[in-house]
């Protein structure tokens, strides 16, 4: 009996949706299906009180209707709203369960003919963001609530030859209070709409339990039918590949089955057949458990090397087309990511199908976040208000019932940042009553009273180290403390990948590798949520505040390892190195290999080496080693490395996989760059002999303005950088201090003024001649200065500059005074860089794990790491560089004598725009090459940390005001050799 509502659900009703059918597992069926995606009629009104008459345009389904790229379709008929971004803030008064009157409405219409309308059918919505009201042929079917959850309506008896489906989406409702995730507000029909015939005697739902036991697979299949079968008819259940049949409800051993794991995702096709319908599932055998406080799958510990993944598309909003989902999961596999937390809602079901097939451990998270209540001390939080319990239970039910049969789902998560309260217990109860085969996760429950694993976000590595060995501070309640102490620990979020960062990944991975209590973690986050806007110059990317939102969180949502267009950022390559399946380290003539694989041996990977010096590759070959068992280790001998060479070891994938071709380089390590310019200099370009007469210094400032024929401008000492997103925030470990960017600004480092003390020329015409320059440099309004001694000499055909920088005056007691000690200047013309150092990607002292030693080159334009909001990026660790610009060439050897430690990391940054332009730009498209090549040569520099969320720069990577000594040795080779061709 279908009970159809008479009235639409009130928008301030905190309850679950009305009129919907129970959610069932997603599968494929041979029953007739009609996909209703495509172009729908559409119109938008700013509120239901100001409802528009007439004026229909069109809009694609699925998509978020507010996206600017849909202007052309929707705009002829008028406005269609705009995206708005807030992290925690509700964009209206917190007055639960009431939404504001200013509540935009998107009205959708879709007409569809049916040649042979099925008498019984279900209309299924994969997701409607906002509060939907659904009508078919004028009949109110019910409402939708739970934006990223499936909703289905029984439409039996309603279908005709010509049909009209109408959906009204109100952007805000009581349900919005449960959906305050850190993301754009993006209403619309965001997932597919499907009409599915329901034959009498068809399959209503199937519950599959496919476990892995010490004696093999164990399968229990519980089908639920639409109606009783005819007498004598049966449900047939079989695993096609194994020829196994099972009886409904009876646990059946499947001895020939292989286990499923993220490393070896073996799937089987399960068919459930009644005389009326056959449904097909892909199943995998695996068992999740917690044994002695260690998280296990199939009886062995697993380590999660994961990312948090939101669903976002720069043009379609919350809808991600299937080919994009597929491409991003392949990209994750290629970068050694083995786990995904579906932050912060259940994903499109396609994602889980692919995760089953490609192999990912998935934390499936419910569509619940009430973070905005945290801003008002959690007063009125729905998580602690019984009126919301039915809706919260309903959300759990919809997620579990849809996703219950996916082997990839190994943890259920109650939601994110929804505080505490009675409904946490209710949700946990709802999960457990529906599925007891997966542990529960919820970071909001810090006493872990209702969950099975202890979860934190952005904890400092020092704290994680304590938790790893079980010496964390005790909870007030002894019983809860004992319970939590026996739990595995996961970092559901860590390492904020915003802008240039995250620094310090290695420190976390070292802990995960060493301690079984640590399950690993999930980087925040996979993807940037940039929004594309079309302009005459092509699409540009915009962030919070760019659409006139009065309340917004700027570019906080641009914080991923890949851009919104799924372009990998340099940090993804570094992550791949840190997450590599084999951890490989060089120790003199020995190579240590430790497998991070939990379920499979290492035979998918091979090792090879390459020996290279300034003249090119000298030798290469395989390193043979028997496959390592899961978590096995070995030590191998390495070939002898000649003194001036670099040895690189690569881990490559042996055969082709679904995500990468054979030979794909999974990770690499190398020895260090050999010392000395002679070893580093690539190419035998004749050098024009320079003498001190070629050093032309401005007599008023002491700045270099010409070196031989090369015109140099803007010569200066630099102590700061254009702040990264992380630099703009105080680290969680130093919450009482200023952000690094504020510290540098307070010290005036962005506006350094130089005073020339002296220029002394000592026997400049003789072989031991020197030019000695002294300057004092400092920011306005402070008495913290540096004294700089610049000592110029002619050496080996080049000019050597020894630079000594010493802090003077009063430097505050706080830490991390400087971003760098470097020398900046600019050269005429557009440029190209070659360097010996680490590459090919950028590197900072705590980032750039993928950069190995060697010789690299690229056009300056290509070497830019574009960030949506411009900031410091793209520095290359280098000890010898050749910059060709405007037909001239400059070579420099860089060497830092002190301080020692990780900050001693000489580097070059080259840009086609000035530092000032970088400071001024708010969006990447505002950066326009100015025809010059802007160079910074760093002697020392600070790390980048992950202060936006989590610890700032770890102490070893901070740069205090201290004496710095280093040298730059300049050569000007013949211009004819500007492209660096080798002459050997
Ligand atoms: C976390 C939150 C994420 C995101 C992140 C900052 O607290 O769970 O959704 O807001 O911080 O980018």
């Amino acid at each position: 009996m279908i009970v159809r509502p008479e009235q639409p659900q009130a928008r301030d009703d905190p309850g679950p949706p009305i009129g919907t059918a129970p959610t069932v597992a997603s599968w494929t069926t041979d029953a007739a299906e009609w996909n209703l995606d495509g172009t729908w009629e559409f119109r938008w009104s700013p509120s239901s009180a100001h409802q528009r008459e007439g004026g229909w345009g069109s809009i694609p389904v699925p998509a978020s209707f507010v996206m600017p790229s849909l202007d052309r379709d929707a705009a002829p008929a008028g406005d269609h709203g705009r995206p708005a971004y807030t992290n925690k803030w509700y964009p209206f008064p917190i007055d639960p369960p009431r939404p504001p009157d200013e509540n935009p409405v998107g009205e959708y219409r879709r007409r569809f003919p049916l040649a042979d309308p099925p008498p019984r059918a279900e209309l299924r919505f994969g997701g409607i963001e906002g509060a939907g009201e659904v009508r078919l042929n004028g009949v109110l079917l019910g409402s939708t609530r739970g934006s990223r959850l499936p909703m289905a309506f029984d439409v039996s008896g309603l279908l005709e030859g010509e049909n009209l489906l109408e959906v009204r989406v109100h952007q805000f409702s009581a349900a919005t209070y449960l959906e305050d995730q850190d993301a754009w507000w993006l209403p619309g029909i965001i997932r597919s709409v499907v009409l599915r015939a329901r034959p009498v005697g068809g399959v209503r739902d199937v519950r599959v339990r496919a476990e892995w036991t010490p004696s093999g697979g164990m399968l229990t299949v519980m089908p639920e039918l639409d109606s009783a079968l005819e007498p004598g008819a049966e449900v047939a259940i079989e695993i096609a590949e194994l020829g196994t049949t099972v009886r409904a409800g009876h646990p059946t051993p499947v001895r020939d089955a292989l286990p499923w794991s993220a490393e070896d995702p073996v799937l089987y096709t399960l068919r459930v057949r009644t005389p009326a319908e056959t449904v097909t599932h892909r199943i995998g055998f695996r068992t999740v458990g917690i044994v002695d406080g260690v998280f296990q799958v199939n009886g062995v510990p697993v380590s999660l090397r994961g990312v948090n993944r939101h669903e976002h598309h720069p043009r379609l909003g919350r809808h991600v087309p299937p080919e994009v989902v597929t491409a991003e999961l392949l990209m994750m596999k290629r970068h050694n990511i083995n786990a995904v937390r579906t932050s912060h809602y259940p994903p499109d079901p396609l994602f889980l199908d692919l995760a089953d097939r490609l192999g990912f451990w998935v934390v499936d998270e419910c569509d619940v976040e009430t973070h905005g209540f945290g801003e008002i001390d959690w007063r009125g939080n729905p998580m602690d208000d019984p009126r919301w319990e039915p809706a919260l239970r309903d959300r759990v039910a919809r997620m579990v019932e849809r996703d219950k049969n996916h082997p990839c789902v190994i943890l259920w998560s109650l939601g994110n940042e929804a505080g505490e309260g009675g409904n946490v217990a209710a949700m946990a109860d709802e999960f457990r009553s529906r599925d007891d085969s997966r542990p529960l996760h919820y970071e909001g429950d810090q006493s872990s009273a209702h969950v099975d694993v202890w979860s934190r976000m952005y904890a400092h590595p020092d704290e994680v180290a304590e938790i790893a060995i079980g010496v964390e501070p005790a909870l007030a309640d002894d019983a809860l403390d004992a319970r939590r102490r026996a739990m595995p620990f996961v970092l559901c979020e860590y390492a904020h990948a915003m802008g240039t960062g995250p620094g310090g990944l290695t420190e976390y991975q070292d802990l995960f590798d060493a301690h079984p209590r640590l399950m690993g973690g999930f980087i925040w986050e996979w993807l940037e949520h940039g929004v594309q806007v079309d302009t005459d110059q092509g699409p540009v990317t915009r962030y919070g505040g760019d659409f006139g939102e009065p309340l917004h969180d700027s570019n906080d949502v641009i914080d991923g390892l890949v851009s919104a267009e799924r372009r990998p950022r340099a940090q993804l390559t570094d992550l791949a190195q840190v997450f590599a399946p084999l951890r490989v380290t060089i120790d003199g003539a020995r190579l240590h290999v430790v497998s991070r694989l939990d379920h499979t041996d290492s035979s998918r990977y091979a090792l090879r080496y390459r020996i290279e010096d300034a003249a090119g590759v000298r030798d290469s070959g395989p390193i043979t080693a028997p496959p390592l068992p899961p978590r096995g280790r070995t030590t191998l001998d390495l070939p002898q490395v000649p003194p001036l060479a670099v040895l690189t070891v690569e881990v490559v994938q042996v055969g082709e996989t679904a995500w990468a071709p054979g030979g794909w380089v999974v990770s690499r390590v190398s020895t260090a760059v050999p010392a000395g310019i002679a070893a580093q200099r690539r190419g035998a370009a004749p050098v024009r002999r320079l003498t001190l007469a070629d050093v032309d210094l401005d007599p008023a400032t002491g700045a270099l303005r010409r070196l031989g024929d090369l015109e140099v401008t803007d010569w200066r000492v630099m102590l700061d950088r254009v702040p990264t997103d992380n630099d703009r925030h105080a680290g969680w470990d130093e919450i009482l201090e200023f952000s690094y960017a504020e510290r540098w600004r307070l010290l005036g480092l962005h506006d350094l003024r130089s005073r020339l003390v002296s220029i002394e020329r000592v026997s400049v015409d003789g072989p031991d001649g020197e030019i000695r320059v002294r300057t004092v440099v400092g920011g306005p309004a402070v008495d913290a200065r540096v004294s700089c001694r610049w000592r110029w000499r002619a050496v080996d055909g080049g000019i050597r500059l020894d630079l000594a920088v010493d802090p003077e005056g009063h430097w505050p007691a706080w830490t991390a005074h400087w971003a760098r000690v470097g020398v900046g200047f600019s050269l005429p013309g557009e440029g190209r860089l070659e360097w010996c150092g680490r590459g090919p990607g950028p590197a900072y002292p705590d980032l750039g794990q993928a950069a190995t030693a060697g010789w690299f080159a690229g056009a300056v334009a290509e070497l830019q790491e574009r960030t949506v909001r411009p900031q410091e990026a793209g520095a290359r660790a280098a000890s010898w560089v050749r910059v060709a610009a405007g037909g001239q060439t400059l070579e420099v050897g860089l060497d830092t004598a002190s301080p020692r430690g990780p900050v001693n990391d000489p580097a070059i940054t080259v840009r086609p725009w000035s530092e000032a332009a970088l400071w001024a730009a708010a969006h990447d498209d505002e950066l326009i090459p100015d025809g010059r090549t802007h160079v910074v040569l760093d002697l020392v520099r600070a790390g980048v940390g992950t202060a936006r969320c989590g610890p700032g720069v770890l102490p070893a990577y901070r740069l205090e005001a201290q004496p710095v000594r280093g040298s730059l040795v300049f050569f000007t080779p013949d211009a004819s050799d500007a492209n660096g061709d080798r002459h050997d």
Side-chain angles (χ1 to χ4, degrees):
M1 248 285 280
I2 310 167
V3 184
R4 298 221 164 89
E6 285 174 7
Q7 296 287 331
Q9 182 172 16
R11 284 190 290 285
D12 59 2
D13 173 3
I18 58 172
T20 58
T23 302
V24 298
S26 52
W27 62 57
T28 45
T29 172
D30 65 353
E33 270 189 354
W34 295 265
N35 184 300
L36 301 180
D37 295 351
T39 303
W40 290 38
E41 290 173 76
F42 180 79
R43 72 179 173 194
W44 182 88
S45 306
S47 72
S48 32
H50 299 95
Q51 186 84 41
R52 189 186 292 265
E53 298 297 332
W56 291 84
S58 61
I59 206 108
V61 167
S64 300
F65 60 67
V66 290
M67 297 307 281
S69 62
L70 307 181
D71 282 358
R72 234 166 309 152
D73 303 312
D79 207 352
H80 56 115
R82 275 288 179 257
Y85 167 57
T86 58
N87 175 341
K88 307 176 193 173
W89 295 317
Y90 290 98
F92 48 74
I94 303 184
D95 182 18
R98 285 164 285 275
D101 286 349
E102 220 173 283
N103 188 0
V105 189
E107 288 177 276
Y108 289 83
R109 280 200 312 219
R110 169 83 149 102
R111 291 167 216 277
F112 60 97
L114 289 173
D116 191 10
R120 302 179 75 237
E122 208 169 66
L123 181 65
R124 303 168 146 230
F125 292 90
I128 296 182
E129 190 145 331
E133 260 166 50
V134 186
R135 286 182 175 74
L136 181 65
N137 296 333
V139 176
L140 176 67
L141 301 179
S143 61
T144 71
R145 298 288 187 273
S147 297
R148 277 65 58 126
L149 287 160
M151 305 280 153
F153 299 95
D154 189 336
V155 295
S156 300
L158 288 183
L159 292 165
E160 295 165 13
E162 293 295 334
N163 299 281
L164 174 64
L165 176 59
E166 295 168 284
V167 182
R168 270 170 78 94
V169 180
H170 295 267
Q171 181 161 359
F172 303 121
S173 71
T176 310
Y177 286 99
L178 301 183
E179 295 172 12
D180 189 27
Q181 289 93 349
D182 174 6
W184 295 92
W185 297 94
L186 294 177
I189 302 179
I190 56 162
R191 291 185 186 159
S192 284
V193 185
V194 171
L195 180 69
R196 182 181 277 185
R198 300 310 313 130
V200 176
V203 181
R204 157 115 224 107
D205 195 9
V206 181
R207 185 172 299 271
V208 179
R209 208 172 168 123
E211 288 162 307
W212 184 254
T213 72
S215 50
M218 178 67 78
L219 180 63
T220 315
V221 182
M222 285 151 290
E224 198 186 302
L225 304 188
D226 256 347
S227 51
L229 296 181
E230 301 278 317
E234 279 199 350
V235 192
I237 305 171
E238 59 162 1
I239 298 181
E241 298 90 337
L242 299 176
T244 309
T245 55
V246 300
R247 277 177 55 210
H250 287 260
T252 308
V254 187
R255 299 210 195 286
D256 295 337
L258 297 169
W260 185 96
S261 72
E263 289 164 19
D264 194 9
V266 182
L267 293 177
Y268 297 100
T269 307
L270 178 79
R271 278 207 192 94
V272 178
R273 189 179 6 235
T274 72
E277 185 179 18
T278 301
V279 302
T280 309
H281 260 89
R282 300 285 280 159
I283 63 163
F285 292 89
R286 57 112 193 85
T287 299
V288 184
I290 294 169
V291 179
D292 296 335
V294 176
F295 184 77
Q296 299 195 345
V297 179
N298 299 343
V300 300
V302 297
S303 186
L304 308 176
R305 295 183 283 280
V307 292
N308 280 277
R309 176 182 177 272
H310 261 287
E311 302 209 312
H312 178 83
H313 187 273
R315 302 185 73 80
L316 300 173
R318 201 83 65 211
H319 173 62
V320 187
E323 63 281 6
V324 180
V325 181
T326 308
E328 63 184 304
L329 291 202
L330 296 179
M331 193 184 281
M332 286 183 194
K333 283 298 268 195
R334 283 201 295 276
H335 291 88
N336 304 326
I337 291 164
N338 74 359
V340 177
R341 172 176 177 234
T342 70
S343 53
H344 299 302
Y345 37 79
D348 188 290
L350 170 73
F351 170 87
L352 297 178
D353 291 343
L354 288 168
D356 285 346
R357 188 155 72 74
L358 294 170
F360 286 97
W361 309 115
V362 173
V363 179
D364 199 0
E365 188 150 275
C366 201
D367 194 355
V368 177
E369 173 156 345
T370 64
H371 207 173
F373 286 87
E375 303 291 285
I376 53 162
D377 290 335
W378 297 105
R379 286 186 302 276
N381 184 14
M383 202 47 122
D384 200 22
D385 179 340
R387 286 179 300 168
W388 299 85
E389 183 182 330
L392 290 165
R393 282 186 180 267
D394 176 71
R395 284 171 188 241
V396 172
R398 284 179 200 277
M399 176 169 89
V400 174
E401 296 306 333
R402 191 194 71 168
D403 297 343
K404 59 190 173 237
N405 297 336
H406 282 282
C408 65
V409 177
I410 49 147
L411 278 177
W412 297 120
S413 174
L414 272 62
N416 185 57
E417 296 181 323
E420 296 176 331
N423 293 331
V424 174
M427 289 182 78
D429 170 66
E430 191 69 35
F431 271 108
R432 293 198 171 101
S433 69
R434 289 175 184 272
D435 176 38
D436 62 359
S437 74
R438 295 165 175 100
L440 294 188
H441 164 272
Y442 175 50
E443 185 271 344
D445 178 13
Q446 275 307 307
S447 64
S448 303
H450 305 286
V451 292
D452 303 304
V453 301
W454 180 19
S455 173
R456 288 278 304 276
M457 42 175 85
Y458 307 108
H460 192 287
D462 291 349
E463 230 186 320
V464 177
E466 279 184 14
I467 295 169
I469 54 169
V471 298
E472 68 270 16
L475 289 167
D477 180 309
D478 288 350
L480 282 178
D481 186 62
R483 190 170 170 276
R484 195 179 73 175
R485 228 167 260 284
M487 283 182 180
F489 177 81
V490 68
L491 278 174
C492 68
E493 293 175 29
Y494 75 107
H496 203 255
M498 187 177 189
T500 302
L505 276 177
T506 310
E507 281 71 10
Y508 285 105
Q509 192 57 44
D510 287 349
L511 288 165
F512 300 156
D513 286 343
H515 301 284
R517 187 186 188 191
L518 307 180
M519 293 165 62
F522 299 84
I523 303 291
W524 189 266
E525 71 178 304
W526 167 246
L527 175 73
E528 297 182 344
H529 304 216
V531 170
Q532 272 187 12
V533 174
D534 294 323
T535 70
D536 294 343
Q537 282 72 47
V540 297
T541 302
R542 293 291 173 255
Y543 50 78
D546 287 337
F547 299 107
E549 311 105 287
L551 190 69
H552 66 83
D553 284 291
S554 185
N555 71 329
D556 253 15
V557 81
I558 310 289
D559 55 358
L561 296 162
V562 300
S563 76
E565 296 75 23
R566 274 67 178 173
R567 268 195 305 275
R569 306 184 56 238
Q571 292 81 332
L572 182 62
T573 317
D574 294 330
L575 181 79
Q577 178 67 28
V578 175
F579 278 5
L582 302 184
R583 180 196 173 114
V584 178
T585 42
I586 296 175
D587 168 14
R590 317 271 283 161
L591 184 73
H592 301 295
V593 187
V594 182
S595 174
R596 290 196 175 104
L597 298 167
D598 300 319
H599 288 96
T600 51
D601 71 24
S602 65
S603 51
R604 184 181 285 160
Y605 306 104
L607 298 165
R608 66 185 188 204
Y609 74 92
R610 189 175 67 228
I611 293 175
E612 191 182 5
D613 63 18
V617 175
R618 289 295 159 138
D619 184 20
S620 63
I623 303 175
T624 43
L628 291 175
R631 297 202 178 197
R633 57 175 64 217
T634 189
T635 297
L636 304 165
D637 289 330
L638 283 171
Q640 188 116 53
V641 192
L644 302 183
V646 172
L647 171 105
T648 304
V649 175
E650 290 181 335
V651 179
V652 295
Q653 184 180 286
V654 173
E656 196 189 355
T657 53
W659 56 90
W664 175 260
V665 178
V666 168
S667 65
R668 55 166 72 89
V669 288
S670 72
T671 54
V673 174
I677 292 177
Q680 293 161 0
R681 179 164 192 252
R682 173 155 277 187
V687 174
R688 201 184 145 252
R689 273 203 99 70
L690 292 170
T691 68
L692 280 183
D694 291 304
V695 179
D696 175 13
L697 303 180
D698 185 329
T701 62
L704 180 70
R705 56 185 185 188
R706 189 171 280 280
L707 187 65
D709 295 336
L710 192 68
E711 180 206 320
V712 177
T713 47
D714 221 9
W715 176 268
R716 67 215 185 275
V717 74
M718 291 178 68
L719 303 174
D720 79 331
R721 61 188 177 208
V722 178
T724 65
D725 291 310
N726 284 312
D727 289 337
R728 292 169 185 268
H729 296 268
W732 291 15
D733 50 341
E734 22 180 24
I735 208 77
L736 294 178
E737 295 204 45
F738 309 115
S739 71
Y740 301 125
E742 279 170 293
R743 295 177 214 190
W744 302 332
R745 196 183 49 77
L746 287 169
L747 293 167
L749 304 190
H750 60 296
D751 189 16
L752 290 178
R753 312 294 172 91
S754 175
R755 176 171 63 81
L756 176 66
V757 178
S758 56
I759 301 183
E760 230 182 305
R761 291 173 195 274
V762 186
S763 2
V764 284
D765 300 326
D768 300 323
E770 282 185 25
I771 308 176
R772 296 184 199 147
V773 180
R774 272 202 59 207
T775 54
V776 175
V777 177
V782 291
D783 59 351
R785 308 174 292 271
V786 289
S787 134
C788 303
R789 278 171 293 145
W790 316 73
R791 181 170 172 234
W792 300 89
R793 284 177 296 155
V795 178
D796 300 333
I799 294 291
R800 179 181 171 115
L801 167 63
D802 289 305
L803 178 59
V805 175
D806 290 286
E808 279 186 350
H810 176 76
W811 288 88
W814 71 55
T815 63
H817 299 105
W818 298 338
R820 58 164 33 119
V821 174
V823 176
F825 56 95
S826 117
L827 302 174
E830 286 172 16
R832 181 180 163 77
L833 174 69
E834 283 178 82
W835 76 100
C836 173
R838 284 180 294 131
Y844 291 83
D846 58 352
L847 179 68
Q849 291 87 345
T852 47
W855 288 261
F856 311 91
V860 169
E862 286 164 15
L863 296 172
Q864 304 311 302
E865 284 299 316
R866 314 300 290 252
T867 51
V868 174
R869 176 154 89 181
Q871 55 193 278
E872 163 65 32
R876 297 317 201 268
S879 41
W880 169 87
V881 300
R882 177 185 285 148
V883 185
Q888 306 250 30
T889 302
L890 178 68
E891 286 187 17
V892 192
L894 300 87
D895 191 15
T896 309
S898 63
R900 311 261 21 126
V903 294
N904 177 347
D905 195 25
I908 183 166
T909 312
V910 282
R911 295 198 179 94
W913 38 72
S914 68
E915 199 84 0
L918 197 63
W919 271 100
H923 300 93
D924 180 58
D925 51 286
E926 293 161 25
L927 290 171
I928 314 286
D930 63 9
R932 300 184 67 80
T933 298
H934 302 269
V935 181
V936 186
L937 300 173
D938 286 325
L939 296 175
V940 291
R941 57 212 181 108
V944 294
T946 175
R948 169 60 191 93
C949 276
V953 177
L954 298 176
Y957 305 115
R958 289 183 199 159
L959 191 52
E960 314 306 349
Q962 63 193 299
V964 171
R965 302 283 177 273
S967 66
L968 304 173
V969 185
F970 297 94
F971 299 94
T972 56
D974 268 359
S976 57
D977 198 62
N979 61 7
D981 286 344
R982 259 185 280 137
H983 292 239
D984 53 0

